[in-house]
Amino acid sequence: MRRERRAWWIAAAALGAVLPLVPGLDSSFSRSLLSQMGIAAVFALSYNLLLGQTGLLSFGHAVYFGIGGYAAIHLLRAVNAGLPIPIPLVPLAGAAAGLAFGIVFGALTTRRAGTIFALISLGVGEMIHAATLMLPGFFGGEEGVTASRTRAPHWLGLDFSSQLQVYYVIAFWLLVAAAAIHYFLRTPVGRMCNAVRDNPERAEFIGYNPQRVRFVVFAVAAMFAGLAGGLHAINYEIVAAESVSAERSGVVLLMVYIGGVHHFIGAILGAIAITWLQVSLSDYTTAWLLYLGLFFMAIVLYVPGGLAGLVMLHAPFVRARAVGRVLRAYALALGPALAMSLGSVTLIEMAYRRSTQSEADPRMRLFWIAMDTSTPWPWIGSAVLIAAGYLAWRWVSPRVAEAWSAAAEAANAGAAHG
């Protein structure tokens, strides 16, 4: 088991090393996107320690991300002034600041759990966000604080002027953070996280103080959030009030829920999905936030285990070699699902254009098709496409359910035989 786990970590390191060199991902934009995904993954992993493992719903986790970012950017300014510290070590200032403030605020906020903890974390977040304007000497006011990663000691000949070099720094710290969090969860305190989440009274009965466990986990999560903020600082070379905002706290919450709140890998999958939606989808449509909201609602309602949970549901089918039948059923359902999606997207884009850009030309191009939104035909066509897709889905859904049942029986039979 230990050898298999080591193989997974080696594979992850190898993947991170070759990913920005793969054709299609070797452009500056793709490497920048990968860097943002890496930062988001560290941040999401830290939040998953609170919510997924310990059951602490925080509305102010961006505080530690932002404070870590400010600490790192100020250290970077000192490096620009002549302090001989290599750029790859600058994010450690963010981790240290996150840990320090996690200890200070965690001593207060972890005295309670549940709704009270969530409300206190919200209050702390609003307090720090207000402080960014009240203390411009440290926070830089509305303009934020800037520094340059290229005006630093050239460690091993690297000047960090290219996005590729910055990516490798982020990938390294992501691997370190993921491994550290993984092995922290295997310590006695880490193993008690789930017990405190599920039944704090029983955890106290066997000799563990739930408040102390929550405090330790909170401080550790704040440290890794600060590390993510430090990576943010060297990637963007600026840290502003947005980094401690409630919006950033909400985004990391979406990442963890969409990825799978009870799965370690879920935080990484959610970070990848949300970052892609933020960076790439926003280039194609101004309604991307609406799609993000719909995507989140669909995950919560129909896939409560998140993307990682959806993958894990299919693992027994793969082991039983029964996944082929399920995939064929999915292929059959793809057409109706695609028809409903295309019809819905067309309606949303036309409605969004008419409501937010009423003065613009009613003619638009969507999916390489020119349409005039002032005529009824695009609206009727979209409605027909949705209706046809829905009727076809009603016809095919029993076959998908039948394939699922057959695969589950095969998986159960294989498990019983094994």
Side-chain angles (χ1 to χ4, degrees):
M1 180 65 70
R2 184 175 300 177
R3 183 177 301 175
E4 181 181 351
R5 193 179 301 120
R6 189 182 301 117
W8 278 107
W9 287 113
I10 293 174
L15 178 63
V18 304
L19 206 55
L21 307 177
V22 174
L25 296 177
D26 55 354
S27 65
S28 296
F29 172 79
S30 297
R31 289 169 178 173
S32 176
L33 179 59
L34 290 173
S35 299
Q36 293 176 60
M37 288 178 176
I39 296 169
V42 177
F43 192 27
L45 283 169
S46 73
Y47 190 75
N48 191 52
L49 269 177
L50 290 181
L51 180 60
Q53 303 299 326
T54 319
L56 295 175
L57 176 61
S58 173
F59 291 130
H61 199 55
V63 165
Y64 312 100
F65 177 94
I67 287 177
Y70 279 110
I73 203 72
H74 280 292
L75 177 60
L76 188 56
R77 289 171 67 90
V79 170
N80 294 163
L83 187 65
I85 295 180
I87 290 298
L89 298 183
V90 169
L92 290 177
L99 176 61
F101 279 85
I103 291 173
V104 172
F105 291 130
L108 170 67
T109 58
T110 58
R111 293 178 183 273
R112 296 290 185 270
T115 304
I116 297 178
F117 170 84
L119 293 177
I120 294 175
S121 69
L122 179 62
V124 170
E126 292 301 313
M127 178 182 68
I128 298 299
H129 188 261
T132 60
L133 301 179
M134 297 169 60
L135 303 172
F138 180 78
F139 294 105
E142 294 181 354
E143 296 180 356
V145 182
T146 61
S148 174
R149 62 174 181 256
T150 59
R151 292 166 49 201
H154 291 180
W155 185 66
L156 297 180
L158 303 176
D159 60 3
F160 298 98
S161 59
S162 72
Q163 188 63 47
L164 181 61
Q165 295 176 10
V166 177
Y167 163 81
Y168 279 123
V169 173
I170 294 170
F172 170 77
W173 283 116
L174 170 58
L175 186 65
V176 170
I181 292 173
H182 174 77
Y183 286 106
F184 170 76
L185 292 173
R186 301 178 67 83
T187 64
V189 175
R191 293 183 184 276
M192 287 305 299
C193 293
N194 294 161
V196 169
R197 177 195 66 195
D198 298 334
N199 197 326
E201 292 81 9
R202 181 171 294 180
E204 189 172 12
F205 178 76
I206 62 175
Y208 284 87
N209 186 333
Q211 189 274 330
R212 188 170 299 172
V213 173
R214 290 195 295 265
F215 170 71
V216 171
V217 174
F218 188 94
V220 172
M223 178 181 70
F224 286 107
L227 176 64
L231 295 172
H232 172 90
I234 66 170
N235 186 60
Y236 291 101
E237 300 176 288
I238 182 173
V239 179
E242 178 272 336
S243 63
V244 297
S245 65
E247 179 183 354
R248 188 171 291 272
S249 293
V251 168
V252 75
L253 173 63
L254 291 180
M255 289 177 184
V256 173
Y257 258 109
I258 286 174
V261 71
H262 296 307
H263 299 278
F264 180 83
I265 194 66
I268 298 176
L269 294 178
I272 292 172
I274 295 298
T275 304
W276 181 82
L277 288 172
Q278 287 180 313
V279 176
S280 297
L281 189 60
S282 59
D283 289 339
Y284 295 100
T285 173
T286 55
W288 70 273
L289 280 174
L290 176 60
Y291 294 118
L292 176 58
L294 293 173
F295 182 43
F296 177 69
M297 291 172 58
I299 290 290
V300 172
L301 290 174
Y302 302 109
V303 192
L307 299 177
L310 187 61
V311 173
M312 296 302 294
L313 281 175
H314 293 80
F317 302 163
V318 175
R319 288 193 293 267
R321 299 182 179 179
V323 73
R325 185 170 184 176
V326 176
L327 293 179
R328 287 192 293 271
Y330 287 167
L332 189 64
L334 181 61
L338 189 60
M340 288 189 290
S341 299
L342 290 176
S344 299
V345 167
T346 303
L347 280 180
I348 290 172
E349 290 298 323
M350 291 192 300
Y352 210 83
R353 184 180 181 88
R354 295 299 299 270
S355 62
T356 61
Q357 304 175 32
S358 56
E359 72 285 353
D361 190 342
R363 291 172 296 181
M364 60 182 293
R365 181 175 293 274
L366 187 64
F367 303 123
W368 304 281
I369 300 175
M371 57 187 71
D372 188 349
T373 59
S374 62
T375 65
W377 305 115
W379 303 87
I380 294 174
S382 300
V384 169
L385 195 61
I386 294 173
Y390 176 73
L391 292 175
W393 176 264
R394 290 290 302 271
W395 177 80
V396 78
S397 56
R399 289 158 179 79
V400 176
E402 181 182 350
W404 254 89
S405 300
E409 292 178 3
N412 293 332
H417 182 70

